[in-house]
Amino acid sequence: MEERKPKILLAEDDTNLGMVLKNYLELNDYDVELCRDGILALAAFRREKFDICLLDIMMPNMDGFKLAEEIRDVDPDIPLFFLSAKTMKEDIIQGYKLGADDYISKPFDSELLLLKIKAILKRNQELNSKEEEQHEFQVGSYAFNSRLRTLAHNGDSHTLSPKENELLHMLCEHKNDLLPRELALKKIWGSDTYFNGRSMDVYIAKLRKYLKDDPNIEIVNIHGNGFRLVVKETP
């Protein structure tokens, strides 16, 4: 039986770039659906199963940021790259806040993009294949289930986003020890770039907020090195 090719949703309104990129990726054994605007791309995403989304930002009818929000509502786990000529710091930060796995500025090297796609799909495959690892943790007065992505406390349960879940999982695996910043960035975000680091800081702040009701829990920033999930033992 022929092995299924990874399927890519490519939303790009530049006809020449879109066709060149589609042909290049197809030559490298990917199945590519090219859409010329955000509305068509969203319809395709809702209609078919994709492994990764490559989104231009400046598109007619629906821009890439809005498209990313709609895609995340349907599938919060799908890997997502922005491909954009918008290089303002604010735009890049907004892209990561929307849950992008990478933000690639135009013009870009197609071979480098291909390597990034391979890396993120390999990472997801490895994450999905983890069946034997510990997935239930007691964190102070909180119960964390990484398989269900739930964090429960005093009868209330909160569902974590995929990145929140993976980051808390890694912190729990290193409880009261150092979680190296570079290790978390490479495992969850795929690379330890400056903007990925800023994105991780946002997620650390979210986890601190979720865990604030137990004074015996603290996520400590070890400057330049990483983080420690410190859980004090109660008498």
Side-chain angles (χ1 to χ4, degrees):
M1 181 182 294
E2 186 178 351
E3 185 177 350
R4 173 186 174 273
K5 295 179 181 180
K7 192 168 181 64
I8 297 174
L9 174 62
L10 173 59
E12 172 61 65
D13 70 328
D14 184 314
T15 303
N16 291 333
L17 176 60
M19 286 306 302
V20 168
L21 192 51
K22 174 180 167 67
N23 291 337
Y24 176 75
L25 292 170
E26 288 178 340
L27 284 172
N28 284 277
D29 293 325
Y30 291 93
D31 184 6
V32 182
E33 174 95 10
L34 174 61
C35 298
R36 308 293 187 189
D37 68 49
I39 290 178
L40 292 175
L42 181 59
F45 186 80
R46 287 173 169 163
R47 185 175 63 245
E48 301 180 51
K49 172 69 176 176
F50 291 92
D51 297 289
I52 187 169
C53 300
L54 310 180
L55 311 181
D56 183 24
I57 292 177
M58 294 184 288
M59 294 186 294
N61 299 321
M62 179 188 292
D63 68 29
F65 287 148
K66 178 60 177 174
L67 174 59
E69 291 179 356
E70 296 287 344
I71 284 174
R72 282 281 179 251
D73 284 342
V74 177
D75 184 351
D77 297 327
I78 185 81
L80 189 156
F81 289 3
F82 284 116
L83 311 176
S84 179
K86 299 184 76 173
T87 57
M88 293 289 290
K89 181 178 177 180
E90 292 78 10
D91 293 317
I92 297 172
I93 290 173
Q94 183 180 356
Y96 282 114
K97 284 184 175 180
L98 287 170
D101 293 275
D102 210 335
Y103 189 110
I104 301 172
S105 299
K106 297 177 182 177
F108 53 83
D109 185 307
S110 296
E111 186 176 358
L112 180 59
L113 173 63
L114 183 65
L115 291 172
K116 286 174 175 284
I117 290 172
K118 287 181 177 179
I120 205 76
L121 292 180
K122 181 181 178 183
R123 183 206 73 183
N124 268 33
Q125 186 177 29
E126 290 173 351
L127 291 176
N128 292 336
S129 67
K130 290 180 179 179
E131 295 296 334
E132 302 303 321
E133 68 182 1
Q134 181 181 356
H135 61 275
E136 292 184 353
F137 300 88
Q138 192 66 38
V139 187
S141 56
Y142 289 82
F144 170 48
N145 188 314
S146 63
R147 183 170 293 169
L148 301 177
R149 300 208 326 259
T150 56
L151 185 64
H153 185 255
N154 291 339
D156 293 326
S157 181
H158 175 75
T159 300
L160 301 175
S161 74
K163 280 192 175 70
E164 291 169 352
N165 184 70
E166 185 66 14
L167 186 54
L168 183 55
H169 191 183
M170 291 189 75
L171 286 166
C172 288
E173 289 179 328
H174 293 77
K175 188 173 75 170
N176 294 323
D177 200 354
L178 176 70
L179 170 60
R181 188 178 184 87
E182 182 180 1
L183 175 64
L185 283 170
K186 287 186 175 180
K187 186 173 181 181
I188 302 173
W189 276 264
S191 64
D192 59 346
T193 65
Y194 168 78
F195 288 107
N196 284 350
R198 287 291 303 273
S199 178
M200 183 167 72
D201 291 340
V202 170
Y203 281 88
I204 287 289
K206 289 181 179 180
L207 292 180
R208 286 186 176 126
K209 182 179 178 181
Y210 299 152
L211 297 167
K212 66 180 175 59
D213 290 332
D214 188 335
N216 294 307
I217 301 173
E218 185 179 8
I219 301 177
V220 180
N221 181 13
I222 309 300
H223 185 69
N225 291 298
F227 301 94
R228 289 180 66 216
L229 175 62
V230 178
V231 182
K232 299 175 184 177
E233 298 295 331
T234 54

